[in-house]
Amino acid sequence: MNKSLTNFLFDFVGEKVISVLGLFYLLEGEKDIDDPQELQINFSSGRSLKIYCSPDGASICCESGYIVARNLGDFGEEIVEDVSYMTPWENLVGDQIIDVCVAKSSIEKASIGIRLGFGKENVSVLNLGDDLYVFEDVPETIVRDQGLEFDCSV
């Protein structure tokens, strides 16, 4: 298990979410709003948690920081949008993180996601094939197919 990721995320327990931003790919005016390239969760303390796919295509990366729009020339662009009003974030803005877990895949042999607990609700962010997917409840088929196990210990 990636204890350094767990320890890093544990430092965000108690933080109150004030907004969530997503980085989305845009080509010829068409935006892929369902699958963000990166996420940025902003907290009332002024800190930000940046979540993105690792270059290895399977792992998840988390760090303190900000997402940045990019012009990709002929290949389109990546734009930053506020997703605080979208499910599941709309119900979590203003809430505090009370626990964190790392999602480990026995198939990928990697930490492919995180789960943030807000009491009654959770949100999971998973790297599934070099794309981020956000779930309130991870579908059982994904849990089974990925051999997912959530480690909430520090």
Side-chain angles (χ1 to χ4, degrees):
M1 185 56 58
N2 189 341
K3 288 297 179 193
S4 61
L5 178 57
T6 306
N7 288 334
F8 172 76
L9 291 171
F10 187 75
D11 196 39
F12 287 91
V13 170
E15 291 279 4
K16 182 178 175 183
V17 176
I18 59 167
S19 67
V20 182
L21 303 175
L23 184 71
F24 298 95
Y25 181 67
L26 181 69
L27 179 62
E28 296 176 0
E30 292 193 31
K31 177 175 31 177
D32 184 4
I33 195 76
D34 293 327
D35 306 318
Q37 301 296 303
E38 298 179 4
L39 288 169
Q40 175 184 319
I41 303 173
N42 299 312
F43 300 99
S44 60
S45 66
R47 297 175 66 201
S48 292
L49 173 63
K50 178 179 167 182
I51 306 166
Y52 57 100
C53 297
S54 170
D56 69 15
S59 303
I60 193 111
C61 291
C62 298
E63 63 184 44
S64 295
Y66 306 96
I67 58 178
V68 178
R70 295 184 264 281
N71 184 333
L72 305 173
D74 292 340
F75 301 103
E77 60 184 311
E78 292 177 322
I79 59 171
V80 176
E81 291 210 0
D82 187 346
V83 295
S84 303
Y85 66 92
M86 297 175 68
T87 302
W89 306 111
E90 65 186 349
N91 298 325
L92 304 174
V93 170
D95 289 352
Q96 287 185 326
I97 295 175
I98 63 167
D99 67 11
V100 294
C101 303
V102 174
K104 174 83 172 171
S105 167
S106 63
I107 303 301
E108 296 290 345
K109 298 189 180 3
S111 297
I112 68 163
I114 64 171
R115 182 173 66 203
L116 305 174
F118 293 88
K120 296 178 191 168
E121 299 185 51
N122 295 311
V123 63
S124 296
V125 180
L126 302 179
N127 176 354
L128 298 173
D130 213 19
D131 282 315
L132 290 182
Y133 291 84
V134 180
F135 302 99
E136 291 176 88
D137 295 303
V138 179
E140 190 56 40
T141 54
I142 292 174
V143 172
R144 183 181 58 249
D145 293 349
Q146 287 293 324
L148 279 188
E149 201 173 284
F150 288 90
D151 181 9
C152 305
S153 62
V154 179

